[in-house]
């Protein structure tokens, strides 16, 4: 398959965006790119831009949010790594052909209106892996 272009973002699960923003914004001094609610995934996201890479802080907005489940199970921490690709449908086909288990068989719309798809951590060495394509 065509290799990813780069790391697009790191997703970090947090209990409180406000509290986590203190570290990433005030202490590390990363530029805050704003906060977006993604009702689909029951999550609020605060972005920090660092060169080409974003750090995305993910806070659950409901008990049954996937992030709430993650926090219950593992506590706050790295939730997923997202790779930027040039052709998401082709990437998904190549992953499927290689036997990688996909959570999203077809691209869906994520934050920033990007096309995204997740591969299951069981087939990516325990790391929830996202592939995304900018419009
Ligand atoms: Zn993501």
């Amino acid at each position: 398959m065509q290799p990813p272009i780069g790391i697009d973002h790191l997703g970090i699960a947090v209990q409180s965006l406000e509290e986590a923003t203190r570290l990433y914004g005030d202490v590390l001094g990363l530029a805050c790119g704003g906060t977006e609610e993604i009702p689909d995934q029951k999550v609020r996201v605060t972005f920090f831009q660092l060169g080409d890479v974003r750090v995305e802080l993910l806070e659950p907005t409901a008990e049954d949010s996937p992030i709430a489940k993650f926090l219950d199970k593992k506590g706050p921490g790295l939730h997923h790594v997202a790779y930027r690709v040039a052709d998401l449908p082709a990437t998904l086909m190549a992953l499927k052909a290689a036997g990688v288990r996909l959570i999203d068989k077809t691209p869906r719309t994520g934050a920033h209106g990007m096309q995204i798809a997740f591969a299951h951590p069981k087939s990516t060495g325990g790391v929830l892996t996202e592939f995304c394509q900018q419009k």
Side-chain angles (χ1 to χ4, degrees), residues 25-80:
D26 301 346
V27 179
L28 295 184
L30 298 182
C32 185
T35 298
E36 186 178 335
E37 183 153 351
I38 306 165
D40 241 26
Q41 291 158 53
K42 298 179 180 173
V43 72
R44 279 205 314 149
V45 186
T46 295
F47 308 92
F48 293 91
Q49 194 74 39
L50 179 60
D52 266 359
V53 180
R54 281 192 320 274
V55 175
E56 296 192 356
L57 306 180
L58 309 159
E59 178 195 69
T61 55
E63 292 280 311
D64 60 343
S65 159
I67 297 300
K69 287 175 196 158
F70 180 90
L71 288 169
D72 281 349
K73 241 171 138 181
K74 301 189 172 173
L78 185 65
H79 179 260
H80 66 273

Side-chain angles (χ1 to χ4, degrees), residues 11 24 30 33 45 53 66 75 89 96 101 103 106 112 116 124 130 132:
Y24 291 95
L30 298 182
V45 186
V53 180
K96 205 173 149 194
R101 196 169 135 199
I103 294 172
T106 54
H112 298 298
I116 67 165
T124 50
E130 176 182 347
C132 56

Side-chain angles (χ1 to χ4, degrees), residues 1-6 83-91 115 131-135:
M1 67 179 258
Q2 223 186 353
I5 302 161
Y83 294 93
R84 193 179 308 139
V85 299
D87 185 341
L88 186 54
T91 299
Q115 292 300 104
F131 296 90
C132 56
Q133 181 185 351
Q134 279 167 331
K135 278 194 177 164

